[in-house]
Amino acid sequence: MIESHNLKDQVIVIEPTNGVLKAQLEAIVVKHGGIVEQNPVEGRTFCYVETGMKMKAKSVMRSRKFDVVRHTWLLDCQEHYRPFGPADMVSSTSNRAQEFQDRYDEFGDPFGLRSTLTSLKYSMAQVQALKREAKISRDLIADFECTQWANPSKFGLFRQLTFYVDRYVQIGQSSEGNSKEDCLHPLESIELLIEFYGGRVIKDDLKDEDRLSHVVVSASDLTRVPQFKAIRRTKTKKFHLVPESYIEHCVQDGRLLSIVDYEL
């Protein structure tokens, strides 16, 4: 049953390696208005779809006369059609490669189409393969979020803040291990929350850290609060001392809450 005309008059050949998969893919081709044939013909076949890259598919690829596409492309078109891109290709004809050059950047990321999980993975792999990886500073990420999004990103909630989480045997000495041995410290999940929402977490050199903005302690154990207050008195830039509920409530509200009701 035809549900769209995205492949109208396009002839597609499916590799006959996997009979069940082949039938499923051919049904998707027909669903989008395409024509299924069993053998590729130069000048007529739109693309050849592999289902295992066995001898026949390899022979088609070596001929360089046809675009050979991964079967996952058609599976992605089961519900909604999308044109194939560089991430979907096993091999491309010279004409198709030129078309991709006009519509995609050098990493295979489309200029005018929505990216998919497949295309993003491909693009990231291309960045790595071309040795074009770059280290992006936290400040640059924060600037990007401010300029590209009308509203602050929830996932950058703590982006410009630096935290110390009180979960070690000795303050500022992570090498000493958790203060609760052989089990997950209750504040470890808070540390993960902070990092997930863009915050920076320091584990050592607490007294020498000038960018420290918050110290998080467990509300169930406030015994070291006086020690943290003593450290704070030595600093020119003072940090906030808060219980873990401050982090949890900020995440729940999707914004930085007033520190007034949480300061210890």
Side-chain angles (χ1 to χ4, degrees):
M1 179 177 172
I2 297 176
E3 295 184 11
S4 84
H5 294 285
N6 290 296
L7 290 173
K8 183 180 180 182
D9 298 329
Q10 302 288 10
V11 175
I12 295 179
V13 178
I14 312 292
E15 181 185 9
T17 300
N18 183 322
V20 174
L21 179 58
K22 183 175 186 292
Q24 182 183 3
L25 298 176
E26 288 179 343
I28 296 171
V29 171
V30 172
K31 175 181 177 179
H32 292 294
I35 301 168
V36 173
E37 292 188 356
Q38 302 308 312
N39 295 292
V41 177
E42 187 176 2
R44 174 175 172 79
T45 300
F46 174 61
C47 69
Y48 186 93
V49 178
E50 63 77 32
T51 59
M53 283 305 296
K54 301 300 181 183
M55 187 179 297
K56 186 171 182 179
K58 289 178 180 178
S59 175
V60 172
M61 182 178 71
R62 283 194 296 269
S63 75
R64 298 185 179 278
K65 297 176 180 178
F66 308 96
D67 294 310
V68 180
V69 187
R70 302 182 195 282
H71 71 269
T72 49
W73 164 63
L74 277 177
L75 292 178
D76 280 350
C77 296
Q78 177 70 54
E79 297 299 325
H80 303 286
Y81 177 82
R82 66 171 179 82
F84 56 67
D88 302 300
M89 308 305 292
V90 176
S91 66
S92 305
T93 60
S94 57
N95 288 342
R96 188 70 66 189
Q98 182 58 55
E99 179 188 326
F100 286 156
Q101 260 191 340
D102 296 336
R103 292 171 44 208
Y104 296 80
D105 67 17
E106 61 187 305
F107 308 114
D109 201 25
F111 294 127
L113 299 171
R114 283 183 177 275
S115 295
T116 65
L117 181 59
T118 299
S119 70
L120 284 173
K121 285 181 177 180
Y122 176 83
S123 296
M124 292 301 100
Q126 287 297 103
V127 170
Q128 203 168 30
L130 296 172
K131 300 187 185 304
R132 298 286 295 280
E133 296 167 291
K135 290 185 177 180
I136 302 176
S137 70
R138 301 175 60 80
D139 290 339
L140 187 59
I141 294 173
D143 289 343
F144 177 84
E145 290 173 340
C146 288
T147 56
Q148 298 299 317
W149 292 322
N151 299 310
S153 165
K154 177 179 179 179
F155 298 104
L157 187 62
F158 303 126
R159 181 76 66 202
Q160 294 176 300
L161 303 176
T162 300
F163 297 81
Y164 175 82
V165 179
D166 181 31
R167 68 179 184 88
Y168 302 110
V169 174
Q170 298 293 327
I171 293 175
Q173 295 184 33
S174 62
S175 60
E176 296 291 329
N178 282 338
S179 59
K180 293 184 181 292
E181 296 183 3
D182 301 324
C183 65
L184 181 69
H185 192 285
L187 289 182
E188 282 191 62
S189 60
I190 294 299
E191 192 171 287
L192 290 171
L193 264 184
I194 291 169
E195 292 179 326
F196 184 81
Y197 287 97
R200 175 173 174 257
V201 176
I202 61 168
K203 304 178 190 300
D204 300 288
D205 301 322
L206 179 61
K207 293 180 181 179
D208 298 328
E209 179 53 66
D210 294 330
R211 291 173 291 179
L212 182 63
S213 59
H214 297 73
V215 168
V216 183
V217 300
S218 172
S220 64
D221 181 6
L222 301 178
T223 55
R224 295 209 287 205
V225 167
Q227 288 177 262
F228 286 117
K229 288 185 175 180
I231 293 171
R232 183 166 62 183
R233 286 194 292 271
T234 68
K235 289 181 168 291
T236 303
K237 181 183 177 183
K238 310 300 182 185
F239 56 78
H240 297 290
L241 187 56
V242 296
E244 70 272 35
S245 58
Y246 175 70
I247 302 300
E248 293 168 338
H249 294 167
C250 286
V251 170
Q252 288 168 9
D253 276 34
R255 62 189 177 92
L256 291 178
L257 300 174
S258 169
I259 208 78
V260 175
D261 295 329
Y262 296 90
E263 191 81 56
L264 295 173

